[in-house]
Amino acid sequence: MIQAESILDVADNSGARKVLCIKVLGGTRRKYASIGDIIVVSVKEAIPNAKVKKGDVMKAVIVRTAKEVGRTDGSYIRFDTNSAVLIDNASEPIGTRIFGPVARELRAKRFMKIISLAPEVL
């Protein structure tokens, strides 16, 4: 459950380390985002000489949340941290590698490139 002003880790090698959620996309009064949702973020911490710089405003898709997500079989999945992957306007990831596991819910949201780059899909 991610909302405006939430700080997230970045799970790719785009160069950003921490991002701040500015807006949850998908409706005028939408307050919260979960796994697979697209948000607008501002880069708060980045490594030098990277693709993205501190202060850049970009889109990101949430790949891990600390709040549990219910599945259709009745089970729940949750992660230790809140993490996102930066994407471009065509919903393709900016980085070439994904770090850590990602949730299976991304497959239903058609983020196949992120699924294929991830080392583990839970």
Side-chain angles (χ1 to χ4, degrees):
M1 194 177 330
I2 306 298
Q3 60 186 349
E5 299 296 318
S6 295
I7 300 278
L8 297 95
D9 297 329
V10 179
D12 62 14
N13 65 343
S14 59
R17 288 287 167 247
K18 297 269 185 193
V19 292
L20 175 103
C21 176
I22 297 174
K23 184 76 177 164
V24 176
L25 299 181
T28 54
R29 292 181 182 89
R30 188 145 184 225
K31 290 183 181 179
Y32 306 112
S34 187
I35 293 175
D37 292 337
I38 298 175
I39 57 175
V40 179
V41 297
S42 170
V43 177
K44 289 297 178 189
E45 189 179 311
I47 61 173
N49 302 323
K51 295 177 189 172
V52 297
K53 304 281 184 265
K54 182 180 175 184
D56 286 356
V57 176
M58 318 196 76
K59 288 183 181 176
V61 60
I62 299 169
V63 295
R64 293 190 288 269
T65 59
K67 176 69 177 170
E68 65 274 356
V69 175
R71 291 189 165 164
T72 55
D73 63 356
S75 64
Y76 292 91
I77 185 165
R78 71 170 171 231
F79 298 92
D80 291 338
T81 60
N82 296 320
S83 299
V85 171
L86 298 179
I87 57 173
D88 58 14
N89 288 331
S91 295
E92 295 293 318
I94 291 174
T96 56
R97 295 176 63 200
I98 305 290
F99 304 118
V102 298
R104 198 183 318 137
E105 281 77 3
L106 293 174
R107 191 182 304 276
K109 300 276 181 103
R110 303 276 192 261
F111 290 107
M112 295 304 180
K113 184 77 173 184
I114 294 173
I115 292 280
S116 66
L117 290 173
E120 190 175 9
V121 180
L122 298 177

